[in-house]
Amino acid sequence: MILLKNVGFQYGNRKILKNISLSVQKGSFYGVIGPNGAGKTTLMNIITGLRSDFTGRVYIKNKSITEYKIKELARQISVVPQQMDIRFPYTCLEIVMMGRTPYKSRLRALSRRDMGIVRRCMEMTDTIRFADCLITELSGGEKQRVILAKALAQQPEVLFLDEAFSHMDIYYSVKCLNVLKQLVDEDGLTVVCIMHDLNLVSSFCSEVVMLQNGEVVRQGRTETVMKPELIHGTFKIKVAKAGNSGLAVLPEL
Amino acid sequence: MTGNSLIVLVKNKHFKARISGFIMAGILLLAALISVNLGWANISTADVFSVIAGRLTGSSDLYSHLDAAKAAIIWDIRIPRILCAAFVGCGLAVSGAVFQAILMNPLADSYTMGVSTGAAFGASAAIFLNVFFLTNLPVVLFAFAGALLTLAVVISISRMGGYVSSANLVISGIIVSCILSAAISLLKSMSGEQVSAIVSWLIGSLAARSWQHVIFGFPVVIICTFFCCYYAEDLNILSLGDREARNLGIDGSKLRIIFLFCGALITAVCVSTSGIIGFVGLVVPHLLRSLVGSDNRLLIPLCALTGAVLLLLADTFARSFMNVEIPVGVLTTLLGGPFFFYIFRKRNKIIQ
């Protein structure tokens, strides 16, 4: 689905990413983890076409990302950014409807089918009751759910999430992750998700990429990467296995 | 909630906007009809309409019984002034909405970008040269050139690595605007006794505007307004920021430049027609947003109509109901400023 070959990036003399090669398979749930400043967001910006001043190659469906037209790319991938401040009082319905932009032509209203997709995405994220509310009046976590609904309405093949659950309470984090997992398992969606909660990573992701200082230190099946000793090496914390697939962070360093 | 009820939600909103649009268009027509009958010269309503009908149909015998001065007051003074008020009001409100969206700042307008100040500087420079070097430079064209040059300077300052961000635009707009304001003050202080020529131009007024102004400005404002209506959907997405625009398949950086140019063109035409008229560009979009929401597809056409109504009413008031004519730019700022303060406070209260 996505292939990275020797991708590097630097700000002036500071190397942010060094020689990263990765491949992302269709229908998998990827977690990207790493300490602050590891280069997670930069990597995502490069894969999603936001930055073009990098070295190396990025291919999406065997086609170099630089050859994609901007609208064509918007039908393949969608990004939920770390922060998105919307300064105009749009209603939540208007925001989610904007997710259909890559599929509609100007001056045309959304079709019944489009509205059906919009409704489904709002139901999945439990935001349908906000349809007529102003996005500027929602709480941080509610806003993130609306933005997730918009990204889902875009019906991408790959969905990128950068800390997209950071303001949600734990109920909605788990609920939204379950929704995504279901889409991955049943509809063949590919999800690439930057997350800090190692327990949720172990519970939901099928593959994990661990970054440190701009390099991939480990990647592979979740159970092979999320091992207490590997996590201690990168994050300098102690974790213990909890339940079937979970991880619990221990208070001592 | 079902899919159908979502569609109903959308339809209701469009219906409400359409009704507001019809009402506004009605008020605009009514205001124009009232305005054409008001003024110092005492001309009866029947005479007013016979002049208009005669001029429109090209049959001069309809108003040949009137004396030529009266016919000229209607056709060459009042009507051009009404049309100027309408298109300047329309232009200021539309460009305000456009600048707010592209700068992602609900408190922006053409002043934030320095475009208006650029126009004012161009006009001041032309007046200064005309007075002291006895040249005969066209003030309107200088105002126009000043606005577009300012835009070019602001864009080139805020361009970093081929990319123009809205934060950079606001900052460089404010800086350039400050410098130009100082330059205008310099011209004023060097003008000594003749300063009133510059001052009276800078204070926005629609007095003595002719058909020339209408022919120059009206088509530009109308075409640009239609352009903005056509691309209003892109403007919505642009108002979420460049990153989100790209995510949804729209090249924000390129589109922002196009809209900037369009907004600046409207501003340039408006300021060169009327001088500085404040707060229409700020208040009208803001007010309408609380009525029909932020969707620019509904907002921009309504801004066009409401801006025209507002300035036409203000100008009619300014020229008809006082013993001396007050410049309409002063009136809109005197009324618009406190009003804006009021909605600003009210909004902050809601957020808290």
Side-chain angles (χ1 to χ4, degrees):
Chain A
M1 193 73 202
I2 296 176
L3 192 64
L4 275 73
K5 276 189 182 162
N6 307 321
V7 169
F9 178 78
Q10 52 187 49
Y11 276 124
N13 286 329
R14 200 168 138 234
K15 283 194 172 158
I16 308 292
L17 294 176
K18 303 165 198 161
N19 220 8
I20 292 190
S21 295
L22 269 178
S23 84
V24 172
Q25 303 302 325
K26 187 175 165 58
S28 296
F29 201 131
Y30 286 81
V32 179
I33 59 172
N36 291 153
K40 303 183 293 290
T41 300
T42 309
L43 181 65
M44 190 168 279
N45 287 347
I46 288 171
I47 308 179
T48 55
L50 201 69
R51 301 208 78 106
S52 49
D53 44 349
F54 60 92
T55 57
R57 309 299 301 263
V58 176
Y59 297 94
I60 292 176
K61 282 188 164 174
N62 299 321
K63 184 169 159 185
S64 171
I65 191 159
T66 50
E67 288 168 26
Y68 271 92
K69 286 205 187 80
I70 198 165
K71 192 158 184 167
E72 195 185 352
L73 196 63
R75 291 177 188 173
Q76 302 291 333
I77 60 178
S78 179
V79 193
V80 181
Q82 225 166 18
Q83 280 214 334
M84 183 164 158
D85 71 300
I86 298 173
R87 297 174 200 178
F88 294 94
Y90 290 105
T91 64
C92 295
L93 179 61
E94 281 169 336
I95 294 288
V96 180
M97 281 166 70
M98 285 186 204
R100 297 303 296 164
T101 307
Y103 302 94
K104 83 183 274 288
S105 50
R106 212 170 270 121
L107 298 184
R108 265 259 186 79
L110 287 184
S111 68
R112 204 159 268 273
R113 187 181 155 267
D114 286 316
M115 290 308 287
I117 294 166
V118 165
R119 190 201 73 227
R120 258 204 314 284
C121 297
M122 293 185 88
E123 279 168 354
M124 282 192 285
T125 51
D126 206 0
T127 52
I128 196 98
R129 62 199 150 100
F130 303 138
D132 208 21
C133 297
L134 298 180
I135 185 104
T136 42
E137 288 168 3
L138 295 188
S139 79
E142 291 165 342
K143 211 179 285 181
Q144 279 189 325
R145 269 148 58 205
V146 173
I147 291 167
L148 179 64
K150 181 194 67 61
L152 291 174
Q154 209 176 324
Q155 291 193 313
E157 302 220 8
V158 190
L159 179 61
F160 289 90
L161 304 136
D162 188 352
E163 295 280 338
F165 312 107
S166 55
H167 297 295
M168 287 184 205
D169 61 38
I170 189 69
Y171 171 78
Y172 278 113
S173 302
V174 171
K175 182 177 167 75
C176 289
L177 279 163
N178 268 314
V179 165
L180 292 177
K181 193 162 170 54
Q182 199 180 350
L183 289 172
V184 168
D185 292 342
E186 289 170 14
D187 299 349
L189 176 73
T190 310
V191 174
V192 180
C193 191
I194 295 177
M195 280 203 281
H196 277 302
D197 190 320
L198 299 176
N199 178 34
L200 293 180
V201 172
S202 324
S203 309
F204 286 96
C205 300
S206 56
E207 304 270 337
V208 175
V209 176
M210 196 190 275
L211 284 178
Q212 190 176 17
N213 298 325
E215 284 172 300
V216 176
V217 285
R218 205 90 196 181
Q219 60 167 309
R221 302 286 308 163
T222 303
E223 55 276 14
T224 64
V225 180
M226 299 305 279
K227 284 183 175 160
E229 62 275 18
L230 292 176
I231 287 172
H232 185 260
T234 302
F235 288 93
K236 312 275 184 294
I237 52 158
K238 288 193 180 131
V239 291
K241 284 219 178 286
N244 277 339
S245 57
L247 279 180
V249 175
L250 304 175
E252 69 264 24
L253 290 176
Chain B
M1 206 176 268
T2 64
N4 278 338
S5 62
L6 288 186
I7 295 173
V8 169
L9 220 57
V10 174
K11 280 205 172 134
N12 281 347
K13 198 161 187 185
H14 283 240
F15 181 70
K16 192 174 157 195
R18 204 167 295 146
I19 293 291
S20 320
F22 281 127
I23 292 173
M24 269 303 160
I27 296 176
L28 179 60
L29 204 65
L30 199 67
L33 289 178
I34 293 170
S35 181
V36 79
N37 282 298
L38 288 174
W40 289 112
N42 207 352
I43 305 171
S44 75
T45 310
D47 290 347
V48 168
F49 288 117
S50 59
V51 171
I52 296 173
R55 281 292 192 157
L56 286 179
T57 54
S59 47
S60 60
D61 39 319
L62 272 177
Y63 55 92
S64 53
H65 63 285
L66 284 169
D67 72 67
K70 278 191 175 177
I73 285 174
I74 302 296
W75 188 256
D76 293 323
I77 295 178
R78 285 189 193 165
I79 290 184
R81 183 169 183 165
I82 288 168
L83 289 174
C84 279
F87 87 72
V88 169
C90 162
L92 289 175
V94 169
S95 68
V98 168
F99 279 122
Q100 286 167 14
I102 45 180
L103 299 177
M104 291 162 62
N105 188 341
L107 298 179
D109 67 355
S110 51
Y111 295 86
T112 323
M113 283 286 304
V115 177
S116 300
T117 324
F121 175 74
S124 307
I127 295 169
F128 183 81
L129 293 173
N130 285 349
V131 169
F132 287 96
F133 298 93
L134 304 171
T135 49
N136 195 14
L137 302 168
V139 175
V140 170
L141 288 184
F142 263 66
F144 193 69
L148 293 187
L149 263 175
T150 309
L151 177 74
V153 170
V154 169
I155 289 179
S156 64
I157 292 176
S158 45
R159 186 187 285 269
M160 308 239 170
Y163 178 79
V164 180
S165 78
S166 58
N168 284 351
L169 279 172
V170 172
I171 292 167
S172 45
I174 290 171
I175 295 170
V176 170
S177 186
C178 284
I179 295 170
L180 288 173
S181 295
I184 293 173
S185 299
L186 181 69
L187 286 178
K188 280 194 211 161
S189 68
M190 291 196 309
S191 306
E193 301 271 293
Q194 307 291 333
V195 71
S196 66
I198 294 178
V199 171
S200 68
W201 193 90
L202 285 181
I203 300 173
S205 165
L206 288 157
R209 296 304 186 262
S210 64
W211 278 105
Q212 261 181 324
H213 290 99
V214 177
I215 291 163
F216 170 70
F218 202 84
V220 178
V221 171
I222 296 298
I223 291 168
C224 287
T225 300
F226 272 107
F227 174 85
C228 294
C229 291
Y230 184 71
Y231 285 99
E233 194 175 358
D234 304 57
L235 206 53
N236 285 346
I237 287 161
L238 212 53
S239 74
L240 304 183
D242 271 359
R243 174 195 268 268
E244 191 50 39
R246 174 171 268 279
N247 184 27
L248 292 173
I250 282 165
D251 186 350
S253 204
K254 200 170 97 191
L255 203 63
R256 179 165 285 139
I257 300 278
I258 296 173
F259 270 117
L260 274 177
F261 183 75
C262 186
L265 197 65
I266 299 177
T267 309
V269 170
C270 291
V271 176
S272 57
T273 305
S274 65
I276 302 285
I277 292 181
F279 278 97
V280 176
L282 202 58
V283 169
V284 172
H286 218 84
L287 204 64
L288 289 175
R289 228 174 253 127
S290 57
L291 189 72
V292 294
S294 302
D295 187 344
N296 286 296
R297 286 174 294 179
L298 312 176
L299 190 65
I300 288 182
L302 266 183
C303 274
L305 290 169
T306 312
V309 168
L310 193 71
L311 197 59
L312 178 55
L313 289 179
D315 186 53
T316 307
F317 182 80
R319 75 181 169 88
S320 312
F321 292 105
M322 305 266 177
N323 285 328
V324 275
E325 176 169 339
I326 33 173
V328 67
V330 173
L331 186 73
T332 58
T333 309
L334 279 181
L335 295 179
F339 179 70
F340 192 71
F341 189 60
Y342 164 74
I343 44 178
F344 180 71
R345 291 284 301 185
K346 205 174 103 187
R347 199 184 64 146
N348 279 7
K349 232 171 241 160
I350 291 168
I351 289 169
Q352 282 157 14

